[in-house]
Amino acid sequence: MAPRNQDTKQEILRIGMDLIKRYGYNAFSYADISKVLEMKNAAVHYHFRGKEDLLAGILDQYLDDYVQLGKQLQVSRLTSLQKLDKFIERYSVLVDSNCICIIGSVASDYNTLPESVKARVTELIDLVLGMVEKTLQEGKKKGEFHFTESARTQALLIMTNLAAGVQLARISGKQDYVQIRKALLRQVKG
């Protein structure tokens, strides 16, 4: 069993991540986390000196999660379409939980983010785009995909449509996101 401090730290990360995905980086405070955990702000500061440190921890978790996903997809026997759909599924989960993606949430606050975390945001975006681009290249090479743009441009189109689709679903409902998802998959299949 993990020590209590480690459990508390992970719980702070989880709650911080949820608040960012629901409200954005600038729209919550440590008081919000303290309230959920029924502890004093000082206890949150014990684990993360400031919001900058908390965001860095959250981004590190996302980086680790995507690295693990990349490794899993690399050794899987899934088709390129199935691999792409695994990536897209992460956005579908966000729609179901009425959240937005961390990249979309942090991007809207990017100009006000501390310099120390901007590099992690860029690293996460590069990692995710690279994974999608690689999957598209593999699919095109195998004849599964027939898109006309470069793999990089197609990855950008997919990512921006998913991020916007998740945000739009908060207003217009899940059905619009479902249509965007279907259209993205049709688009790459040609």
Side-chain angles (χ1 to χ4, degrees):
M1 179 178 228
R4 176 78 175 120
N5 274 349
Q6 190 61 27
D7 290 345
T8 301
K9 185 174 184 174
Q10 288 304 313
E11 194 62 5
I12 292 168
L13 281 168
R14 184 191 66 73
I15 293 166
M17 189 180 311
D18 184 62
L19 290 169
I20 289 172
K21 291 188 304 186
R22 288 187 188 282
Y23 308 112
Y25 176 74
N26 290 320
F28 79 94
S29 70
Y30 272 19
D32 297 312
I33 295 172
S34 298
K35 184 178 179 181
V36 172
L37 291 175
E38 298 177 350
M39 62 174 43
K40 294 183 179 189
N41 280 359
V44 178
H45 283 282
Y46 171 80
H47 294 284
F48 297 97
R49 196 170 37 95
K51 278 178 69 175
E52 175 179 345
D53 301 310
L54 177 61
L55 180 56
I58 290 168
L59 291 168
D60 287 345
Q61 275 194 338
Y62 269 90
L63 286 162
D64 290 346
D65 288 349
Y66 273 104
V67 166
Q68 289 305 313
L69 175 63
K71 288 177 182 177
Q72 291 168 1
L73 293 178
Q74 190 174 5
V75 298
S76 74
R77 294 178 185 242
L78 298 174
T79 65
S80 298
L81 183 61
Q82 290 169 324
K83 289 178 182 180
L84 183 61
D85 200 46
K86 288 279 186 197
F87 171 78
I88 292 172
E89 181 60 30
R90 289 175 164 245
Y91 289 82
S92 301
V93 169
L94 292 170
V95 169
D96 291 339
S97 61
N98 195 32
C99 291
I100 60 175
C101 73
I102 193 75
I103 293 171
S105 179
V106 174
S108 66
D109 293 327
Y110 188 78
N111 290 335
T112 62
L113 292 177
E115 290 298 324
S116 63
V117 293
K118 285 184 177 182
R120 281 185 174 98
V121 172
T122 301
E123 185 180 352
L124 179 60
I125 290 169
D126 289 344
L127 176 63
V128 174
L129 275 172
M131 288 174 59
V132 175
E133 183 179 2
K134 180 180 177 186
T135 301
L136 291 168
Q137 288 169 338
E138 289 173 359
K140 197 162 192 178
K141 185 176 180 181
K142 292 177 182 178
E144 292 178 57
F145 298 150
H146 304 285
F147 52 88
T148 57
E149 301 294 336
S150 71
R152 172 76 177 180
T153 300
Q154 194 66 46
L156 287 165
L157 290 169
I158 289 170
M159 196 164 157
T160 56
N161 276 281
L162 288 172
V166 168
Q167 289 180 332
L168 185 62
R170 289 176 136 185
I171 300 166
S172 66
K174 182 178 179 177
Q175 191 54 39
D176 285 339
Y177 169 80
V178 170
Q179 294 306 314
I180 290 168
R181 179 182 178 167
K182 288 177 182 178
L184 288 172
L185 293 173
R186 275 193 313 269
Q187 198 176 50
V188 296
K189 291 192 293 187

Short mmCIF file of all heavy atoms in Angstrom, two decimals, residues 111-157:
data_model
loop_
_atom_site.label_atom_id
_atom_site.label_comp_id
_atom_site.label_asym_id
_atom_site.label_seq_id
_atom_site.Cartn_x
_atom_site.Cartn_y
_atom_site.Cartn_z
N ASN A 111 -1.33 31.81 -22.71
CA ASN A 111 -0.63 33.09 -22.59
C ASN A 111 -0.44 33.53 -21.14
O ASN A 111 0.41 34.38 -20.87
CB ASN A 111 -1.35 34.19 -23.38
CG ASN A 111 -1.22 33.98 -24.87
OD1 ASN A 111 -0.28 33.35 -25.35
ND2 ASN A 111 -2.18 34.50 -25.61
N THR A 112 -1.21 32.97 -20.23
CA THR A 112 -1.07 33.33 -18.83
C THR A 112 -0.36 32.25 -18.01
O THR A 112 -0.19 32.39 -16.80
CB THR A 112 -2.45 33.60 -18.19
OG1 THR A 112 -3.24 32.40 -18.25
CG2 THR A 112 -3.15 34.74 -18.90
N LEU A 113 0.06 31.17 -18.67
CA LEU A 113 0.75 30.09 -17.96
C LEU A 113 2.16 30.50 -17.58
O LEU A 113 2.81 31.25 -18.32
CB LEU A 113 0.83 28.83 -18.83
CG LEU A 113 -0.46 28.10 -19.14
CD1 LEU A 113 -0.18 26.93 -20.07
CD2 LEU A 113 -1.14 27.63 -17.87
N PRO A 114 2.65 29.98 -16.48
CA PRO A 114 4.04 30.21 -16.12
C PRO A 114 4.98 29.62 -17.18
O PRO A 114 4.68 28.57 -17.77
CB PRO A 114 4.20 29.47 -14.80
CG PRO A 114 2.82 29.26 -14.28
CD PRO A 114 1.93 29.19 -15.49
N GLU A 115 6.07 30.29 -17.44
CA GLU A 115 7.02 29.84 -18.47
C GLU A 115 7.51 28.42 -18.21
O GLU A 115 7.75 27.67 -19.14
CB GLU A 115 8.22 30.80 -18.54
CG GLU A 115 7.88 32.17 -19.12
CD GLU A 115 7.38 32.11 -20.55
OE1 GLU A 115 7.86 31.28 -21.35
OE2 GLU A 115 6.48 32.91 -20.88
N SER A 116 7.62 28.06 -16.93
CA SER A 116 8.17 26.75 -16.60
C SER A 116 7.31 25.58 -17.09
O SER A 116 7.82 24.48 -17.27
CB SER A 116 8.37 26.64 -15.09
OG SER A 116 7.13 26.72 -14.42
N VAL A 117 6.01 25.80 -17.31
CA VAL A 117 5.17 24.69 -17.77
C VAL A 117 4.87 24.76 -19.28
O VAL A 117 4.39 23.79 -19.84
CB VAL A 117 3.86 24.59 -16.97
CG1 VAL A 117 4.13 24.21 -15.55
CG2 VAL A 117 3.04 25.83 -17.06
N LYS A 118 5.16 25.88 -19.89
CA LYS A 118 4.89 26.00 -21.33
C LYS A 118 5.65 24.94 -22.13
O LYS A 118 5.12 24.39 -23.10
CB LYS A 118 5.22 27.40 -21.84
CG LYS A 118 4.18 28.43 -21.43
CD LYS A 118 4.49 29.79 -22.02
CE LYS A 118 3.41 30.80 -21.67
NZ LYS A 118 3.66 32.10 -22.27
N ALA A 119 6.86 24.62 -21.72
CA ALA A 119 7.64 23.60 -22.42
C ALA A 119 6.97 22.23 -22.32
O ALA A 119 6.97 21.46 -23.29
CB ALA A 119 9.06 23.54 -21.87
N ARG A 120 6.37 21.93 -21.18
CA ARG A 120 5.68 20.65 -21.01
C ARG A 120 4.43 20.60 -21.89
O ARG A 120 4.09 19.54 -22.42
CB ARG A 120 5.31 20.42 -19.55
CG ARG A 120 6.47 19.95 -18.69
CD ARG A 120 5.95 19.64 -17.29
NE ARG A 120 6.94 19.07 -16.44
CZ ARG A 120 7.66 19.74 -15.55
NH1 ARG A 120 7.50 21.05 -15.43
NH2 ARG A 120 8.52 19.13 -14.77
N VAL A 121 3.74 21.72 -22.00
CA VAL A 121 2.55 21.77 -22.86
C VAL A 121 2.97 21.48 -24.30
O VAL A 121 2.35 20.66 -24.99
CB VAL A 121 1.85 23.14 -22.76
CG1 VAL A 121 0.74 23.26 -23.79
CG2 VAL A 121 1.31 23.37 -21.35
N THR A 122 4.03 22.12 -24.75
CA THR A 122 4.53 21.89 -26.11
C THR A 122 4.96 20.44 -26.29
O THR A 122 4.68 19.82 -27.33
CB THR A 122 5.71 22.85 -26.40
OG1 THR A 122 5.24 24.19 -26.25
CG2 THR A 122 6.26 22.65 -27.80
N GLU A 123 5.62 19.89 -25.29
CA GLU A 123 6.06 18.49 -25.36
C GLU A 123 4.86 17.55 -25.49
O GLU A 123 4.88 16.60 -26.28
CB GLU A 123 6.87 18.14 -24.10
CG GLU A 123 7.47 16.77 -24.11
CD GLU A 123 8.27 16.47 -22.84
OE1 GLU A 123 8.49 17.37 -22.01
OE2 GLU A 123 8.67 15.30 -22.69
N LEU A 124 3.80 17.82 -24.74
CA LEU A 124 2.60 16.99 -24.81
C LEU A 124 1.95 17.08 -26.18
O LEU A 124 1.59 16.07 -26.78
CB LEU A 124 1.61 17.39 -23.71
CG LEU A 124 0.29 16.62 -23.68
CD1 LEU A 124 0.52 15.13 -23.46
CD2 LEU A 124 -0.62 17.19 -22.59
N ILE A 125 1.83 18.29 -26.69
CA ILE A 125 1.23 18.47 -28.02
C ILE A 125 2.07 17.76 -29.08
O ILE A 125 1.53 17.06 -29.94
CB ILE A 125 1.07 19.97 -28.33
CG1 ILE A 125 -0.03 20.57 -27.45
CG2 ILE A 125 0.76 20.20 -29.82
CD1 ILE A 125 -0.11 22.07 -27.48
N ASP A 126 3.37 17.91 -29.02
CA ASP A 126 4.25 17.25 -29.99
C ASP A 126 4.12 15.73 -29.90
O ASP A 126 4.11 15.03 -30.93
CB ASP A 126 5.71 17.67 -29.78
CG ASP A 126 5.98 19.10 -30.19
OD1 ASP A 126 5.14 19.70 -30.91
OD2 ASP A 126 7.04 19.64 -29.78
N LEU A 127 4.03 15.21 -28.69
CA LEU A 127 3.90 13.76 -28.50
C LEU A 127 2.60 13.25 -29.11
O LEU A 127 2.59 12.28 -29.87
CB LEU A 127 3.97 13.42 -27.01
CG LEU A 127 3.76 11.96 -26.63
CD1 LEU A 127 4.85 11.07 -27.23
CD2 LEU A 127 3.70 11.80 -25.12
N VAL A 128 1.48 13.91 -28.78
CA VAL A 128 0.18 13.46 -29.27
C VAL A 128 0.10 13.60 -30.79
O VAL A 128 -0.31 12.67 -31.49
CB VAL A 128 -0.96 14.23 -28.57
CG1 VAL A 128 -2.31 13.87 -29.18
CG2 VAL A 128 -0.96 13.94 -27.07
N LEU A 129 0.51 14.74 -31.31
CA LEU A 129 0.50 14.93 -32.77
C LEU A 129 1.39 13.89 -33.45
O LEU A 129 1.02 13.34 -34.49
CB LEU A 129 0.99 16.33 -33.13
CG LEU A 129 -0.03 17.44 -33.13
CD1 LEU A 129 0.64 18.80 -33.31
CD2 LEU A 129 -1.08 17.22 -34.20
N GLY A 130 2.54 13.63 -32.87
CA GLY A 130 3.46 12.65 -33.44
C GLY A 130 2.85 11.25 -33.47
O GLY A 130 3.03 10.51 -34.45
N MET A 131 2.14 10.89 -32.42
CA MET A 131 1.49 9.57 -32.39
C MET A 131 0.43 9.44 -33.48
O MET A 131 0.36 8.43 -34.17
CB MET A 131 0.84 9.34 -31.02
CG MET A 131 1.81 9.09 -29.90
SD MET A 131 0.98 9.01 -28.29
CE MET A 131 -0.16 7.66 -28.55
N VAL A 132 -0.38 10.47 -33.61
CA VAL A 132 -1.43 10.43 -34.63
C VAL A 132 -0.81 10.45 -36.02
O VAL A 132 -1.22 9.68 -36.90
CB VAL A 132 -2.42 11.61 -34.44
CG1 VAL A 132 -3.44 11.65 -35.56
CG2 VAL A 132 -3.12 11.49 -33.09
N GLU A 133 0.19 11.29 -36.22
CA GLU A 133 0.87 11.35 -37.52
C GLU A 133 1.48 10.00 -37.89
O GLU A 133 1.32 9.54 -39.03
CB GLU A 133 1.95 12.43 -37.47
CG GLU A 133 2.67 12.63 -38.79
CD GLU A 133 3.72 13.73 -38.72
OE1 GLU A 133 3.93 14.32 -37.64
OE2 GLU A 133 4.34 14.00 -39.77
N LYS A 134 2.13 9.36 -36.96
CA LYS A 134 2.74 8.05 -37.21
C LYS A 134 1.68 7.01 -37.57
O LYS A 134 1.86 6.22 -38.51
CB LYS A 134 3.53 7.59 -35.98
CG LYS A 134 4.21 6.26 -36.14
CD LYS A 134 4.97 5.88 -34.89
CE LYS A 134 5.59 4.50 -35.07
NZ LYS A 134 6.23 4.03 -33.84
N THR A 135 0.57 7.03 -36.86
CA THR A 135 -0.52 6.10 -37.16
C THR A 135 -1.08 6.34 -38.56
O THR A 135 -1.35 5.40 -39.31
CB THR A 135 -1.64 6.24 -36.10
OG1 THR A 135 -1.09 5.98 -34.80
CG2 THR A 135 -2.78 5.29 -36.37
N LEU A 136 -1.22 7.61 -38.93
CA LEU A 136 -1.71 7.95 -40.27
C LEU A 136 -0.73 7.50 -41.35
O LEU A 136 -1.13 6.96 -42.39
CB LEU A 136 -1.97 9.45 -40.36
CG LEU A 136 -3.14 9.97 -39.53
CD1 LEU A 136 -3.12 11.49 -39.48
CD2 LEU A 136 -4.47 9.46 -40.08
N GLN A 137 0.56 7.72 -41.12
CA GLN A 137 1.58 7.29 -42.08
C GLN A 137 1.55 5.77 -42.26
O GLN A 137 1.60 5.27 -43.39
CB GLN A 137 2.97 7.72 -41.61
CG GLN A 137 3.23 9.19 -41.72
CD GLN A 137 4.50 9.63 -41.01
OE1 GLN A 137 5.00 8.96 -40.11
NE2 GLN A 137 5.01 10.79 -41.40
N GLU A 138 1.46 5.04 -41.15
CA GLU A 138 1.40 3.58 -41.22
C GLU A 138 0.16 3.13 -41.99
O GLU A 138 0.24 2.22 -42.83
CB GLU A 138 1.38 2.97 -39.82
CG GLU A 138 2.69 3.09 -39.08
CD GLU A 138 2.60 2.62 -37.62
OE1 GLU A 138 1.50 2.21 -37.16
OE2 GLU A 138 3.63 2.70 -36.93
N GLY A 139 -0.97 3.76 -41.68
CA GLY A 139 -2.22 3.39 -42.35
C GLY A 139 -2.18 3.67 -43.84
O GLY A 139 -2.69 2.88 -44.64
N LYS A 140 -1.56 4.76 -44.21
CA LYS A 140 -1.46 5.10 -45.64
C LYS A 140 -0.53 4.11 -46.34
O LYS A 140 -0.82 3.65 -47.45
CB LYS A 140 -0.97 6.54 -45.81
CG LYS A 140 -1.24 7.08 -47.20
CD LYS A 140 -1.16 8.58 -47.22
CE LYS A 140 -1.72 9.08 -48.53
NZ LYS A 140 -1.72 10.52 -48.61
N LYS A 141 0.57 3.78 -45.69
CA LYS A 141 1.54 2.84 -46.26
C LYS A 141 0.91 1.45 -46.46
O LYS A 141 1.17 0.78 -47.45
CB LYS A 141 2.76 2.73 -45.34
CG LYS A 141 3.87 1.87 -45.89
CD LYS A 141 5.07 1.89 -44.95
CE LYS A 141 6.18 1.03 -45.51
NZ LYS A 141 7.35 1.01 -44.61
N LYS A 142 0.04 1.06 -45.53
CA LYS A 142 -0.62 -0.25 -45.61
C LYS A 142 -1.86 -0.23 -46.51
O LYS A 142 -2.48 -1.25 -46.72
CB LYS A 142 -1.03 -0.72 -44.22
CG LYS A 142 0.14 -1.05 -43.32
CD LYS A 142 -0.36 -1.44 -41.94
CE LYS A 142 0.78 -1.72 -41.00
NZ LYS A 142 0.28 -2.04 -39.64
N GLY A 143 -2.23 0.96 -47.02
CA GLY A 143 -3.40 1.06 -47.88
C GLY A 143 -4.71 1.16 -47.11
O GLY A 143 -5.78 1.06 -47.73
N GLU A 144 -4.64 1.35 -45.80
CA GLU A 144 -5.86 1.49 -45.00
C GLU A 144 -6.43 2.90 -45.11
O GLU A 144 -7.64 3.09 -45.00
CB GLU A 144 -5.57 1.21 -43.53
CG GLU A 144 -5.24 -0.22 -43.21
CD GLU A 144 -4.91 -0.39 -41.74
OE1 GLU A 144 -5.78 -0.05 -40.89
OE2 GLU A 144 -3.80 -0.85 -41.43
N PHE A 145 -5.56 3.89 -45.26
CA PHE A 145 -5.98 5.28 -45.32
C PHE A 145 -5.69 5.85 -46.69
O PHE A 145 -4.70 5.49 -47.33
CB PHE A 145 -5.25 6.11 -44.26
CG PHE A 145 -5.52 5.71 -42.83
CD1 PHE A 145 -4.56 5.89 -41.86
CD2 PHE A 145 -6.74 5.17 -42.45
CE1 PHE A 145 -4.80 5.54 -40.54
CE2 PHE A 145 -7.00 4.82 -41.13
CZ PHE A 145 -6.02 5.00 -40.18
N HIS A 146 -6.54 6.79 -47.11
CA HIS A 146 -6.40 7.40 -48.43
C HIS A 146 -6.66 8.90 -48.37
O HIS A 146 -7.33 9.46 -49.24
CB HIS A 146 -7.35 6.73 -49.43
CG HIS A 146 -7.17 5.25 -49.51
ND1 HIS A 146 -6.11 4.66 -50.16
CD2 HIS A 146 -7.89 4.24 -48.98
CE1 HIS A 146 -6.20 3.36 -50.05
NE2 HIS A 146 -7.27 3.06 -49.33
N PHE A 147 -6.16 9.58 -47.37
CA PHE A 147 -6.34 11.02 -47.25
C PHE A 147 -5.39 11.74 -48.19
O PHE A 147 -4.38 11.18 -48.62
CB PHE A 147 -6.13 11.48 -45.79
CG PHE A 147 -4.85 11.01 -45.18
CD1 PHE A 147 -3.68 11.76 -45.30
CD2 PHE A 147 -4.80 9.81 -44.47
CE1 PHE A 147 -2.50 11.34 -44.74
CE2 PHE A 147 -3.61 9.39 -43.90
CZ PHE A 147 -2.46 10.14 -44.03
N THR A 148 -5.73 12.98 -48.54
CA THR A 148 -4.94 13.72 -49.53
C THR A 148 -3.91 14.67 -48.91
O THR A 148 -2.94 15.02 -49.56
CB THR A 148 -5.86 14.53 -50.46
OG1 THR A 148 -6.67 15.40 -49.66
CG2 THR A 148 -6.75 13.61 -51.28
N GLU A 149 -4.13 15.10 -47.68
CA GLU A 149 -3.19 16.01 -47.02
C GLU A 149 -1.95 15.23 -46.57
O GLU A 149 -1.94 14.01 -46.56
CB GLU A 149 -3.87 16.65 -45.79
CG GLU A 149 -5.11 17.42 -46.08
CD GLU A 149 -4.87 18.67 -46.91
OE1 GLU A 149 -3.75 19.19 -46.90
OE2 GLU A 149 -5.81 19.12 -47.57
N SER A 150 -0.93 15.95 -46.14
CA SER A 150 0.22 15.28 -45.53
C SER A 150 -0.25 14.66 -44.22
O SER A 150 -1.26 15.09 -43.64
CB SER A 150 1.36 16.27 -45.27
OG SER A 150 1.01 17.14 -44.21
N ALA A 151 0.47 13.66 -43.73
CA ALA A 151 0.10 13.02 -42.46
C ALA A 151 0.11 14.05 -41.33
O ALA A 151 -0.75 14.02 -40.45
CB ALA A 151 1.02 11.86 -42.15
N ARG A 152 1.05 14.97 -41.34
CA ARG A 152 1.12 16.00 -40.30
C ARG A 152 -0.13 16.90 -40.34
O ARG A 152 -0.74 17.16 -39.32
CB ARG A 152 2.39 16.83 -40.49
CG ARG A 152 2.51 18.05 -39.62
CD ARG A 152 2.87 17.71 -38.22
NE ARG A 152 3.05 18.93 -37.42
CZ ARG A 152 3.36 18.93 -36.16
NH1 ARG A 152 3.56 17.79 -35.55
NH2 ARG A 152 3.48 20.05 -35.50
N THR A 153 -0.49 17.36 -41.54
CA THR A 153 -1.66 18.21 -41.67
C THR A 153 -2.93 17.45 -41.27
O THR A 153 -3.79 17.99 -40.57
CB THR A 153 -1.78 18.77 -43.10
OG1 THR A 153 -0.61 19.53 -43.38
CG2 THR A 153 -3.01 19.62 -43.27
N GLN A 154 -3.03 16.20 -41.69
CA GLN A 154 -4.19 15.39 -41.33
C GLN A 154 -4.26 15.18 -39.82
O GLN A 154 -5.33 15.24 -39.22
CB GLN A 154 -4.15 14.03 -42.05
CG GLN A 154 -5.45 13.28 -42.00
CD GLN A 154 -6.56 13.98 -42.78
OE1 GLN A 154 -6.37 14.43 -43.90
NE2 GLN A 154 -7.73 14.07 -42.17
N ALA A 155 -3.12 14.98 -39.18
CA ALA A 155 -3.08 14.85 -37.71
C ALA A 155 -3.56 16.14 -37.05
O ALA A 155 -4.32 16.11 -36.07
CB ALA A 155 -1.67 14.49 -37.25
N LEU A 156 -3.12 17.27 -37.57
CA LEU A 156 -3.57 18.56 -37.03
C LEU A 156 -5.07 18.74 -37.20
O LEU A 156 -5.76 19.23 -36.29
CB LEU A 156 -2.83 19.71 -37.72
CG LEU A 156 -1.36 19.90 -37.33
CD1 LEU A 156 -0.66 20.81 -38.33
CD2 LEU A 156 -1.25 20.45 -35.91
N LEU A 157 -5.59 18.34 -38.36
CA LEU A 157 -7.03 18.44 -38.59
C LEU A 157 -7.81 17.55 -37.62
O LEU A 157 -8.83 17.97 -37.06
CB LEU A 157 -7.36 18.05 -40.03
CG LEU A 157 -6.92 19.04 -41.11
CD1 LEU A 157 -7.07 18.43 -42.50
CD2 LEU A 157 -7.73 20.32 -40.99
#
